[in-house]
Amino acid sequence: MQDFNPINKHADSIAVRAGQHRGPEREHAEALYLTSSFVFETAEQAADAFGGDSVDENIYSRFTNPTVKIFQERLAALEGGEACIATASGMSAVQTLCLSTLKAGDHLLAAKGMFGSTTNLFLKFLPRWGISVDLVALSDVDAWRAAVRPETKLLFVETPTNPLMETADIRALATVAHDAGALLAVDNCFCTPVLQRPLALGADVIVHSATKYLDGQGRCVGGALVGSKALMDGEVMGYLRTCGPTMSAFNAWVFLKGLETLPLRMRAHCESALSLAQWLQTRTEVTAVHYPGLDTHPQHALAMLQQSAGGGMVSLELKGGKAAAWELIDRVQMLSRTGNLGDAKTTITHPASTTHARISAEQRAEAGITDGLVRISVGLEDVRDIQADLAQALGDQNSI
Ligand SMILES: Cc1ncc(COP(=O)(O)O)c(C=O)c1O
């Protein structure tokens, strides 16, 4: 049976079909290989597989599994990358990237505004392994250039950032990184390849939390790295094979089902998020709305150059600080009070006391995360119902 060739195909087709190599059973849906290891005909065949460097040989599911492989090929094709390595979580993707590309004495440059655990990994753990880290204002390209040192090997950004939706100039930072002989890694979690393809803008590695939009229905935790074949099949695979931050085959299968609807879902998330952001701007309780698709966003023009739409995430600042933020969150009736994002269900959270609670107050202030900030991951419910729930939570009468 003919395998699907992603060359010159569109994202909607790649999301549904890339990576599947149909087996002798002629299955239509992707097969789920729940097996820890694979069997050899002879001792010699086993020795050849274990001794070789081929990433195509099925040996042991810590580093080779056919279902995980379909997920890897599909995500690589969507991102326009040569290869992908799937990991157990988004954080294990970040950790795998750092520990497979950096060594003691190296220097990492990252942005001040990032997901809290990423900041913690960089500031608390990497220095224990002799890797030094500096944080720079995301949008200040000159500051990145000034902070580069001869030992700088990796630049790391999220764009848009969690939770403030700041935008990094990927092309400019790629130039800074490459002039220094370093790699640029971009966490593409908020946009997904449907809205933004950082490799085409010059980035070297994409980081994903598959837990978010790639799954899309809040079921499994996973992550991935996408980049050149040399890097992924070389150092990154070597690290994965030895250290084992592996994606389970079951989770890969669930993510494959998620990828099939990713382009459709992202379009719906974006449409509702823009409409909700515009409505939030009209509310007197709200002092700021952070959404790259609004022309009031400080980097709106850059965001619209890099992204095909604003995304599904909206943050707002409330006049009444933490008390008002918590009151809003406590009063919603339909929205889910949970820290996850990228789900079909709209979620609402208070970053300062949840997703960014474990970084210091100083680091939160540096990243611009105030006590009055609320983050909404706009789901796939009818946006009129999302808006009505928020309106009643803000105190409107008869809004539901
Ligand atoms: C932007 C971003 N990157 C990475 C992660 C980490 O992903 P995971 O929770 O799958 O480890 C998250 C989690 O919220 C995130 O928002």
Side-chain angles (χ1 to χ4, degrees), residues 188-272:
N188 202 23
C189 175
F190 274 28
C191 273
T192 84
V194 174
L195 305 184
Q196 173 172 271
R197 303 221 306 169
L199 296 176
L201 297 168
D204 302 287
V205 185
I206 305 295
V207 177
H208 270 293
S209 166
T211 319
K212 309 298 184 305
Y213 289 106
L214 305 192
D215 178 326
Q217 289 162 71
R219 299 163 293 192
C220 293
V221 173
L225 296 171
V226 183
S228 70
K229 203 166 164 48
L231 181 62
M232 293 299 129
D233 292 352
E235 291 298 317
V236 174
M237 177 47 125
Y239 181 83
L240 182 98
R241 180 176 182 147
T242 307
C243 304
T246 308
M247 177 180 283
S248 83
F250 181 81
N251 288 5
W253 187 85
V254 173
F255 294 138
L256 278 168
K257 295 295 113 190
L259 285 182
E260 289 181 3
T261 56
L262 181 68
L264 273 176
R265 286 187 285 108
M266 289 313 291
R267 288 195 280 272
H269 284 298
C270 290
E271 198 180 308
S272 292

Side-chain angles (χ1 to χ4, degrees), residues 89-91 115 118 158 162 187 189-190 209 211-212 221-222 341:
S89 66
M91 286 318 302
F115 174 53
T118 307
E158 276 167 31
N162 182 0
D187 183 328
C189 175
F190 274 28
S209 166
T211 319
K212 309 298 184 305
V221 173
L341 61 96

